[in-house]
Structures are given as C-alpha cells and as structure tokens.
Amino acid sequence: MDGDDLPGEEIARVVQCLTEAVLSCSNGFSAWRYSNFVGLEQLRGLSPHQLNVWKDPSQIAHIRGLRTHEDAPGELGFFWATKIGGPSHGFDFEGQCILPLLANARHKVLLVSDPHWPHHPAGRAHWRLLWSTGSRGQHLDTPQPRLWLEVVNCDFAAASQGIGGEGWAHATLLHAMMKADAMQVPLSVEASVEDVQQASESLLSAGLGGGDVKEVSERMLLRPSNGIVEASDYFGTKHDWDQRGEEITEEVARTLYVPAGAGSGHRACEYKVLQGAMFKKVGIDPATSKIAKFTRQVGSVIRSTGRRWNGQI
C-alpha cells in the first residue's frame, strides 16, 4: 500500500456500512454509494441532470451481439468486476483493489457481455467521474468534470478460449462517448486521436452526437476516497494507496472528446420521434447547406446537445 499503514478501524467501518447497504434492499447498495456525504462531495459540481445520467446503469447493444453496460440496477455486479481480466482479486483476496470501486460514487465499471461467453460479462473497463484542474501551463481556477475511461480487460478464462478483443474497445468507446454527449461532459481516454475521431464520426453520421477530439495533458483532482484507499495505474507511479485526503495527480497525457455544446451553457435534452422521417444538418457547422434525411422508429428518443442556432430566412 505504498508503504503506508492502513487505518483498520476506518476500513472496518466502511465495510460494515457497505454490507448493511447491500442487505437493506435490492437497490440499497447503489443508493448508499451516491447518497453518503463522501460520495456527494465527489460529485459536487454536477447539475441534477448530469448526476442522474451518471448514476443511470446505461446499456447499449452493438453489432455481433455485444452489449456494453454499467452493470444493472442495484450495481451488485460490481462485486465481480475485478475478477474480470486479471488474477483472482476482489471481494475475497486483495480487497484494496475493489473497495474504491464499491465505496466511491465517482467510480463505476463499464462491462462487456459477449454472446460467446454467456456465463457473466467477459470484459470490463474502470469508468470514473473526475475533475480536471488543467495543466501546469493552463491552470483551471474551477475544476471541470471529466468522464475517465480506462482500458478494457478480458476475462482470462474467456481469453484462453479465443473470446474477446474484436470490437470491444470500439464498443466501450462508443458507449462512453454517448454518455459524455448525454451529460455534456468531456471524455478522457487512453485511445489514440484517430480511434476517437473515427468513433465521433460514426456517432455523427448516425445522428447520435459527435464533437471535437484533441490531445491534452491534464492533472486530475481526486477528492477523498470513501473506500479509504484508491487503486489505479493511471494517476502516477502508485498502484494502491491511502487516499483519505484531497490530491492532485501528475499531468497525464490523454485524448479528450468534447461533446458539441459542452461548456456552452446549453443543457442536453431529448426529443421524441413523432414521425418516421427526420432531417438533420450534416456536420458540426450549423451554417452548412447540406441536409440529410433519415428515419427513426416512431416513439424512439433522439438526444440533443440543446444548442440552438438561428439562421437567416
């Protein structure tokens, strides 16, 4: 634990609270995660809409039967998540690797279910809501929210049977970008600019979103962990450590996807399709004369950035 002595009584208290929440009712665990005072502080600064979207256990169906999902209502699948993609660790061994996930409102996992591995999700990526303080050369006086996606790991048993890999990274990236669009919060990923740009164009062509893509080097604000410890290979040289105090990480080079309209003051919204035919401007420039016609099922929902542009008649 980076050489630190751990406070046993405090960890025992967190485990007791966590256990009581799990046993209280079907949604007691997830309700506790987002309502305790440490969790509320971690998410402080999000609008009510952004907070609701972050808490939602979103799921998306992809080609070839792949499904990406933030577990399910109740989030009890998080207990199994760190068993996916690595040696046996989690609720029964080396609990410091799973306690931050279970206890922190800022921390979720993005799971990949593959029809070739029906037993349980075959892939997972750690998935967080963090706060950027900018870079050394461009400090942000007010920290800005960032969705933070880490790499996808495949279950060792599934990988030994040749399952996993194909399309997984793209599917999780699309899922994360659609969540970023819905929240109007920039998404920070380790993927290349080219991969993120390709995914952005896919969303744009489908009328589902799209935004700017750029390379950044940012420092992240880590508000205190409700799990006493934090665990990650992405914030510096430490893997797991005592994180009871507020910290600012080293600068981390990442690729940033910025949804169209993020930071503009416009609020994301949804429109219900009342007729099958729809028309949209092509690209992100509202002044373009190119208009595409496409169809959507009546009653389905189209997400929008909420930005408005008044042209000349």
Side-chain angles (χ1 to χ4, degrees):
M1 194 60 63
D2 202 46
D4 295 329
D5 292 329
L6 291 179
E9 291 185 1
E10 290 190 45
I11 290 180
R13 175 188 56 78
V14 173
V15 173
Q16 180 65 29
C17 290
L18 191 157
T19 303
E20 291 176 356
V22 170
L23 297 177
S24 64
C25 61
S26 60
N27 290 321
F29 170 58
S30 59
W32 169 77
R33 275 168 41 82
Y34 300 112
S35 63
N36 67 77
F37 72 93
V38 180
L40 292 172
E41 172 62 16
Q42 290 176 353
L43 302 180
R44 175 175 54 83
L46 295 180
S47 70
H49 169 77
Q50 290 171 328
L51 185 60
N52 287 335
V53 176
W54 170 245
K55 293 191 296 184
D56 180 55
S58 312
Q59 63 173 316
I60 298 176
H62 305 268
I63 60 173
R64 293 191 292 274
L66 287 180
R67 182 170 65 95
T68 54
H69 52 110
E70 297 163 36
D71 192 41
E75 300 181 332
L76 293 176
F78 287 4
F79 282 87
W80 183 257
T82 57
K83 293 286 187 180
I84 302 171
S88 177
H89 65 281
F91 51 82
D92 57 346
F93 183 68
E94 295 189 356
Q96 74 274 11
C97 292
I98 194 172
L99 195 55
L101 164 62
L102 299 180
N104 285 322
R106 69 184 176 206
H107 197 167
K108 304 174 78 172
V109 281
L110 185 48
L111 301 172
V112 181
S113 289
D114 191 305
H116 297 99
W117 190 254
H119 318 291
H120 54 73
R124 63 109 174 112
H126 284 286
W127 177 223
R128 309 174 196 255
L129 190 290
L130 301 176
W131 299 87
S132 171
T133 63
S135 63
R136 296 183 190 277
Q138 191 174 6
H139 177 75
L140 296 174
D141 292 331
T142 302
Q144 300 297 316
R146 296 287 185 267
L147 288 172
W148 179 279
L149 180 66
E150 299 181 7
V151 297
V152 185
N153 290 274
C154 181
D155 186 283
F156 279 14
S160 69
Q161 297 185 27
I163 297 169
E166 185 179 2
W168 283 19
H170 186 68
T172 55
L173 183 55
L174 287 176
H175 182 117
M177 294 170 74
M178 292 179 71
K179 189 95 166 184
D181 287 334
M183 293 181 66
Q184 286 292 281
V185 168
L187 166 68
S188 178
V189 299
E190 196 172 66
S192 68
V193 169
E194 292 75 18
D195 288 344
V196 180
Q197 186 64 54
Q198 181 183 14
S200 177
E201 292 172 356
S202 297
L203 291 177
L204 187 62
S205 64
L208 297 174
D212 296 329
V213 179
K214 58 185 177 181
E215 293 180 333
V216 296
S217 185
E218 295 185 303
R219 294 185 295 175
M220 310 307 295
L221 169 65
L222 299 180
R223 292 169 177 166
S225 170
N226 191 42
I228 309 300
V229 298
E230 183 54 272
S232 177
D233 292 324
Y234 291 85
F235 301 136
T237 58
K238 297 181 288 188
H239 173 70
D240 39 31
W241 67 98
D242 185 334
Q243 210 260 301
R244 284 175 289 174
E246 190 172 277
E247 297 180 20
I248 295 180
T249 70
E250 303 171 9
E251 280 196 11
V252 184
R254 307 269 286 179
T255 298
L256 196 69
Y257 167 75
V258 183
S264 66
H266 298 280
R267 181 174 174 177
C269 59
E270 296 179 342
Y271 294 98
K272 181 169 287 189
V273 177
L274 300 181
Q275 299 182 22
M278 299 186 64
F279 299 87
K280 71 180 292 290
K281 293 270 190 168
V282 177
I284 61 175
D285 179 10
T288 180
S289 60
K290 295 184 65 176
I291 297 178
K293 178 181 179 181
F294 62 102
T295 58
R296 286 288 185 273
Q297 183 177 354
V298 173
S300 61
V301 171
I302 298 293
R303 289 174 175 163
S304 169
T305 64
R307 296 174 68 190
R308 296 186 178 184
W309 181 79
N310 295 324
Q312 295 181 349
I313 298 177

